[in-house]
Amino acid sequence: MTTAQVRAAWLHAQRLDAVAPFGEGPEATRRAVAHLGYVQIDTIHVVERSHHHILHTRIPSYSRADLEQAQSGEKSVFEYWTHALAYVATEDWRFFMPAMERYSTTPHPNFAGVDPKDYAAMLERIRKDGPLSIRDIDDDVLVEKTHLWASRKPSKRVLRLAFFAGDLVISKRAGMLKTYELTNRHFGWRKRPKPATPTQFAEYMLRRALVSQGVVSLDSICYGNLASKPQVAAVIEAAVQRKRLVPVRVEGFEKVAHWAEPAVLEAGETMPEPRVHILSPFDPLVIQRKRLEMLFGYAHRFEAYVPAAKRVLGYFALPVLVGDEIVAAIDLKTDRQAGKLLVQKWTWITDRRADLKPAIDEALTRFERFQMGSAAAEPEDV
């Protein structure tokens, strides 16, 4: 396959070649999260937060209320750790249970010193008083922060450990402020799903990648979970033997093994329409930087934590996709008081500037409307 063919397969898998591929409302949000595998959450808020941005890119009518309803009302999505904190479809809960059990049984350095009595007391408090956020806890003896994102309240470590262990779930989110609830009570489970076996988890990883990437490599499947490579490799080999997967050689990158389902190869190369997308730097198309550079010839730099003097693209540069090409990176910032989207820096990646700028300006206008429609003061998790 040529890189153009693989790009087209990836864009189709990401549903960036259609207008509203998932429909509208909370159900569209569930469909999008399930199809993409996960939608990353991030704290940076110079423009709309990444999870809302990623969903808006694929659901033009998307609003924050849709995700809130999916998470807190219909409970069709939940938060957990993939390669980062992310929204995942609740139907996939069982695949994360082995990781949860490891937090329950194996000491983790991030939670060293959490007293089992404090842990049990926290669960009992929520069982008795109902869901709570860290702001509802006012009886902690405050301590010094151990790092920038830590809390002075020891209870936050207890809540986070119970979250990672699966005893608590984030039942509601307002900005970065999380409300925790007992997992079984939140989902209405009398009995939890059966945990996935290692082989089932590897099959899930492969299936998730095939659906959201089209053509896959071992690195792209196991992004953020390199320890699963041996088991995923075994699952791939079995799928090839059953002719469910076909080995693929990507032109120019023959040394990297790739695979695809037969239907992807039969589809052939179809040039995507020149749709314009202002992408989040945490978008599934962008987050795997090496894969993005290999297939699009574009090396994205995330420079929020780079000293200002050394930045090339800007503090929070957003890649601009037109058709199957990354044509620019625009550093944007929302002025919520003035109701405007500010262009801090515009970096062209292509020479096709004159013919592309009107379409990008139109996309920026739509993006500004989305920003202003969802702009609101948000509480922080303290």
Side-chain angles (χ1 to χ4, degrees):
M1 297 182 73
T2 64
T3 53
Q5 288 174 311
V6 180
R7 272 200 312 273
W10 194 10
L11 290 170
H12 178 67
Q14 285 289 309
R15 297 299 187 258
L16 291 170
D17 59 350
V19 176
F22 300 109
E24 299 182 352
E27 178 58 18
T29 296
R30 184 203 65 78
R31 289 194 198 104
V33 172
H35 181 90
L36 297 173
Y38 57 84
V39 170
Q40 184 174 338
I41 300 168
D42 193 75
T43 60
I44 296 177
H45 198 210
V46 291
V47 295
E48 182 54 276
R49 299 208 190 262
S50 63
H51 41 291
H52 296 304
H53 184 170
I54 291 165
L55 290 168
H56 167 71
T57 299
R58 294 157 178 85
I59 309 170
S61 63
Y62 170 80
S63 72
R64 283 183 178 198
D66 295 335
L67 181 56
E68 181 178 356
Q69 176 63 18
Q71 179 176 22
S72 304
E74 298 175 2
K75 303 177 178 64
S76 59
V77 301
F78 71 101
E79 297 184 28
Y80 202 67
W81 195 267
T82 53
H83 73 276
L85 188 62
Y87 284 101
V88 183
T90 302
E91 63 198 63
D92 292 336
W93 176 277
R94 63 189 296 259
F95 298 109
F96 295 85
M97 291 180 72
M100 295 173 184
E101 290 176 355
R102 285 193 292 273
Y103 276 98
S104 295
T105 59
T106 306
H108 193 283
N110 287 349
F111 304 109
V114 171
D115 191 325
K117 292 181 180 179
D118 293 336
Y119 188 95
M122 180 64 74
L123 298 185
E124 180 58 29
R125 179 173 181 171
I126 294 175
R127 181 176 291 107
K128 178 183 176 182
D129 298 337
L132 59 74
S133 74
I134 191 65
R135 289 196 171 190
D136 297 320
I137 299 173
D138 56 11
D139 54 358
D140 268 359
V141 177
L142 302 183
V143 298
E144 293 299 320
K145 288 188 177 185
T146 55
H147 60 78
L148 183 61
W149 294 285
S151 172
R152 296 190 64 203
K153 294 183 177 181
S155 290
K156 185 169 183 179
R157 292 177 68 221
V158 179
L159 288 169
R160 292 186 70 244
L161 175 56
F163 163 76
F164 279 103
D167 289 323
L168 295 180
V169 68
I170 296 171
S171 61
K172 184 177 181 180
R173 172 182 286 274
M176 290 294 108
L177 182 65
K178 302 178 284 289
T179 297
Y180 295 86
E181 168 65 300
L182 298 175
T183 296
N184 286 13
R185 191 163 67 187
H186 173 73
F187 290 115
W189 290 340
R190 294 183 62 186
K191 186 179 180 181
R192 293 195 188 188
K194 185 178 180 181
T197 65
T199 297
Q200 288 170 338
F201 179 72
E203 290 171 343
Y204 161 72
M205 294 278 287
L206 173 59
R207 183 174 67 254
R208 185 176 75 179
L210 289 168
V211 169
S212 62
Q213 297 173 18
V215 180
V216 301
S217 68
L218 197 54
D219 281 342
S220 76
I221 298 166
C222 299
Y223 180 74
N225 196 335
L226 299 181
S228 63
K229 276 188 174 183
Q231 290 168 326
V232 172
V235 168
I236 290 172
E237 184 177 354
V240 170
Q241 290 176 353
R242 296 187 183 98
K243 301 189 184 303
R244 295 176 181 173
L245 281 185
V246 178
V248 171
R249 186 178 69 252
V250 180
E251 185 179 28
F253 301 93
E254 289 83 0
K255 292 183 179 180
V256 181
H258 285 80
W259 298 269
E261 292 177 305
V264 172
L265 302 181
E266 293 165 5
E269 180 180 346
T270 55
M271 181 64 68
E273 291 186 33
R275 303 187 190 282
V276 180
H277 294 292
I278 313 295
L279 298 175
S280 166
F282 302 106
D283 193 279
L285 193 80
V286 180
I287 195 62
Q288 293 199 35
R289 305 282 194 248
K290 290 183 180 179
R291 178 178 168 88
L292 181 73
E293 184 174 7
M294 182 182 86
L295 296 179
F296 284 83
Y298 168 70
H300 184 70
R301 289 170 54 97
F302 182 68
E303 300 176 331
Y305 304 114
V306 174
K310 296 183 178 181
R311 290 175 191 151
V312 175
L313 301 178
Y315 177 84
F316 200 70
L318 308 181
V320 180
L321 175 72
V322 179
D324 70 340
E325 183 183 2
I326 305 290
V327 301
I330 307 178
D331 184 24
L332 296 176
K333 181 178 180 179
T334 301
D335 184 338
R336 293 175 175 84
Q337 288 188 333
K340 293 183 177 180
L341 190 65
L342 307 178
V343 176
Q344 308 285 83
K345 185 174 183 179
W346 188 312
T347 305
W348 285 102
I349 312 300
T350 179
D351 293 329
R352 298 169 49 209
R353 303 181 182 187
D355 58 324
L356 291 177
K357 194 169 187 306
I360 296 174
D361 284 338
E362 184 179 341
L364 285 170
T365 299
R366 293 194 301 271
F367 192 58
E368 182 178 62
R369 285 198 297 268
F370 169 61
Q371 300 296 309
M372 296 310 114
S374 62
E378 292 184 345
E380 294 296 325
D381 212 11
V382 294

